[in-house]
Amino acid sequence: MDIKLDESSDQYDAGDMVRIHKGLSAYSEFLQHDIITVTPKLLSMYGGNSDRAKLMQRLFERQRKSFFRHLNERYTQKKLLTDYASAINDCSGKTRLSVEVAEALKAALDNMEMLAMQK
């Protein structure tokens, strides 16, 4: 997502782009540190099997790279689209976010939708 934001940044207000980056970064860090990284939570999902948890983490990383490659192939325009915000919102609804991350992400998504509708 950062690539798409960076490609679009010259079309939008710098303050808006900072808010969007902040919210998406908070969500990304939450996913990486609280969900994906081999933590007690991930280990417990796989019955304490650390090899299986590490394998799932590698699989997630590979899928994430594939997802972003396909996203960039599908959306070649250098602008923000409401589809991005909608997809991220759908994903975030499946996890329990901290209040701080949820607020930052909501501000980012609201900003993305507002900017997408302007252009």
Side-chain angles (χ1 to χ4, degrees), residues 101-112:
V101 172
E103 288 174 352
L105 182 59
K106 181 178 180 344
L109 296 178
D110 289 347
N111 230 294
M112 287 173 70

Side-chain angles (χ1 to χ4, degrees), residues 61-73:
E61 288 299 319
R62 187 173 58 213
Q63 290 297 96
R64 183 173 70 126
K65 288 176 185 174
S66 177
F67 170 76
F68 283 118
R69 187 180 69 246
H70 291 297
L71 183 67
N72 285 326
E73 288 170 358

